[in-house]
Amino acid sequence: MKKYLVNLEGIGIPKYKKIAIHIKKLIDENKIKDGEKLPPIRKLAEELNVNNVTIVNAYNKLESEGYAVQKIGSGTYAKRKEVAINFKKKYSNVVRRISSEKLRNYIDFSGEAASSELFSVSSFKEVINKVLDRDGTEALVYQEALGYEGLRESIDKYFWRNSVDSDNILIVSGAQQGIDIVSKALINVNDNVVVEKPTYGGALTVFKWRRANVVEIELQEDGMDLDELEKVLKKNKIKCVYIMSYFQNPTGISYSSIKKRRLLNMAEIYDFYIIEDDYLSELIYNGDEYVSFKSMDTNDRVIYIKSFSKIFLPGIRLGYLISPHDFKENIQNSKVNTDIATSSLMQRVLDMYIKDGMWKGHIKKLNEIYRERYEFFRNALEALEEYVDFILPGGGLHFYVKIKEGLIDSMELFYQCEKDGVLITPGIIFYKNPKEGKEYFRLSFSQTDLYSIEKGLGIIKNIFKQCK
């Protein structure tokens, strides 16, 4: 009963509300388990030195807010219906707090971008100076609505072998802005949008903000379940399908060539667009050839989005978008209405970085370092096979792990890990329905060296042992 004790002194908030707030906090923190019976009204009233009506009102408030259920003749029971929703907010707050204060004290398995420690700052400074010497103040103030022409031409030449007209390339401030721009240009209220299940939480937020109807299709080991998608397409008009073609966030799954061709054919048959978020295709460790949906697109059905932030420097918010001809003007207008232009200086610096061959060298270095971490992480995860299952992504920067039934859910695991100095990403972050994904969590090796990987997975293993 000690955990129910709460300070009821002071004026302003009624006692029953204070009691309800305290019990809600205990439920959110899992100190009161889902389905756990709350103390009888008379017993708790005596413990807190209040009358029975106060406890009745407190329990009624908990029930009205979805935190309790009253069973006639049995009592009142804790209910965690909305805990996952609250957890998403708490998770964001915890990560923000740690990021700003004491991230270096943690083993960070939650990072999504390549480590800044692997980036040559001195080389970058040289490029900045070259750009400023060449362009002067023009590099700081001159803006083009589509983005710096030199960078757009370099993207076409070096990444697409001159197969994409640079006028179709739009420079954006990362993938998140790209998704937002496309949504504003393409999606109206109550339009149907298909996403992978699970998927990137930022995309879900954008589609919900546009008040679209979000339809989730399960992922298989080689991409979205296209049989299930076709059933949906036969019954509903779909505006677009959002996919991550390589090392999907969070699952690490990549699309097979068979599914790429089939999805492209379906887009033409059922008249929808594919939003291809090219997440981490530069980091392929298993020897597979990189082939994007966009490069296979003969019917102009793919809207291609690429962020440089994940593999360059996270603080340099740059990416690009390739539009289909039919939506080119709408998408470009959407970008102009959003923020007119992205940093002119950083665009020029990235352009020179690519032209001078430094980009190619940077990606080569990342592949060497992260391939080693990937292999090490895979072997270390195999030592946890008593507690978890996982698939091999073959590239990228993370593994998606499934906790075996009956051990612990990923929200509680997050709290336990955070307490022990380890950060993970719980699976519920990646689902439309916050009740799903509790058995999954994502582990990234982007910010961890081999020693930290071994130590961090050892801590997680100990938590699993205690649960078992």
Side-chain angles (χ1 to χ4, degrees), residues 5-103:
L5 295 177
V6 57
N7 183 10
L8 298 175
E9 299 299 321
I11 58 174
I13 301 178
K15 290 181 179 180
Y16 81 91
K17 283 189 178 181
K18 287 185 178 181
I19 295 168
I21 290 169
H22 179 65
I23 293 175
K24 280 196 294 184
K25 184 181 178 185
L26 293 174
I27 295 171
D28 284 344
E29 294 175 351
N30 206 29
K31 292 176 181 175
I32 296 178
K33 306 294 183 183
D34 185 26
E36 181 179 331
K37 187 175 182 179
L38 300 181
I41 292 170
R42 183 179 299 173
K43 187 174 181 181
L44 185 57
E46 290 175 356
E47 188 72 23
L48 298 180
N49 196 26
V50 296
N51 59 48
N52 291 351
V53 173
T54 299
I55 304 302
V56 169
N57 289 338
Y59 283 0
N60 286 340
K61 183 171 178 58
L62 288 170
E63 185 174 35
S64 69
E65 295 181 7
Y67 276 87
V69 58
Q70 296 185 39
K71 299 179 181 179
I72 296 174
S74 178
T76 303
Y77 295 81
K79 185 179 177 185
R80 302 189 71 203
K81 181 179 178 182
E82 303 298 329
V83 169
I85 296 174
N86 296 330
F87 175 80
K88 285 188 177 184
K89 296 176 183 177
K90 290 188 174 184
Y91 170 77
S92 297
N93 290 335
V94 169
V95 171
R96 276 197 296 269
R97 172 178 55 79
I98 293 172
S99 297
S100 61
E101 294 176 12
K102 50 184 180 180
L103 187 59

Side-chain angles (χ1 to χ4, degrees), residues 260-278:
K260 287 174 186 173
R261 284 192 291 269
R262 185 180 171 191
L263 185 56
L264 287 165
N265 287 335
M266 290 166 72
E268 182 67 11
I269 293 167
Y270 293 101
D271 188 25
F272 63 85
Y273 286 87
I274 299 169
I275 302 175
E276 179 181 12
D277 186 348
D278 183 353

Side-chain angles (χ1 to χ4, degrees), residues 399-401 403 410 413 424-427 439-443 464:
F399 289 84
Y400 198 51
V401 181
I403 305 167
S410 61
L413 180 62
I424 64 168
T425 306
E439 70 272 34
Y440 291 96
F441 64 103
R442 189 190 66 192
L443 292 172
F464 285 142

Side-chain angles (χ1 to χ4, degrees), residues 165-325:
D165 187 344
S166 62
D167 285 344
N168 288 332
I169 296 173
L170 179 67
I171 304 300
V172 295
S173 300
Q176 182 72 25
Q177 189 191 49
I179 298 166
D180 183 57
I181 287 167
V182 170
S183 296
K184 289 175 180 175
L186 187 64
I187 299 169
N188 296 310
V189 175
N190 291 328
D191 279 345
N192 296 315
V193 177
V194 170
V195 300
E196 299 156 328
K197 181 180 181 180
T199 192
Y200 168 51
L204 283 175
T205 300
V206 170
F207 298 141
K208 287 177 181 177
W209 183 80
R210 293 298 296 170
R211 290 192 283 172
N213 300 317
V214 179
V215 180
E216 293 176 303
I217 301 293
E218 294 280 357
L219 277 169
Q220 298 172 321
E221 289 194 5
D222 63 343
M224 186 181 284
D225 183 345
L226 298 187
D227 290 335
E228 191 63 32
L229 174 61
E230 191 145 30
K231 291 177 185 177
V232 172
L233 290 166
K234 286 177 178 178
K235 296 180 180 179
N236 305 275
K237 171 61 182 170
I238 300 298
K239 197 61 158 293
C240 60
V241 174
Y242 170 76
I243 56 99
M244 303 181 85
S245 47
Y246 278 83
F247 315 123
Q248 194 255 10
N249 185 14
T251 65
I253 287 170
S254 300
Y255 280 75
S256 65
S257 57
I258 292 173
K259 283 202 169 174
K260 287 174 186 173
R261 284 192 291 269
R262 185 180 171 191
L263 185 56
L264 287 165
N265 287 335
M266 290 166 72
E268 182 67 11
I269 293 167
Y270 293 101
D271 188 25
F272 63 85
Y273 286 87
I274 299 169
I275 302 175
E276 179 181 12
D277 186 348
D278 183 353
Y279 184 51
L280 289 170
S281 61
E282 293 83 1
L283 302 178
I284 299 175
Y285 312 134
N286 59 6
D288 287 353
E289 182 185 3
Y290 167 62
V291 183
S292 65
F293 277 87
K294 188 63 182 177
S295 66
M296 300 171 65
D297 180 23
T298 58
N299 296 311
D300 210 24
R301 287 283 172 181
V302 177
I303 304 167
Y304 177 90
I305 299 172
K306 178 67 187 175
S307 173
F308 292 114
S309 303
K310 302 298 181 191
I311 48 175
F312 197 43
L313 273 180
I316 299 173
R317 304 297 300 167
L318 279 177
Y320 69 95
L321 186 157
I322 302 175
S323 315
H325 290 288

Side-chain angles (χ1 to χ4, degrees), residues 397-451:
L397 293 172
H398 63 265
F399 289 84
Y400 198 51
V401 181
K402 184 177 182 180
I403 305 167
K404 291 192 173 177
E405 190 174 353
L407 272 178
I408 187 174
D409 69 44
S410 61
M411 294 183 292
E412 180 62 24
L413 180 62
F414 169 77
Y415 287 124
Q416 291 282 343
C417 285
E418 194 264 337
K419 185 177 70 175
D420 292 341
V422 176
L423 295 180
I424 64 168
T425 306
I428 68 164
I429 302 299
F430 307 104
Y431 289 80
K432 182 177 77 169
N433 184 345
K435 291 191 233 175
E436 297 186 272
K438 293 179 183 179
E439 70 272 34
Y440 291 96
F441 64 103
R442 189 190 66 192
L443 292 172
S444 170
F445 50 90
S446 66
Q447 305 295 323
T448 51
D449 57 22
L450 303 186
Y451 170 76

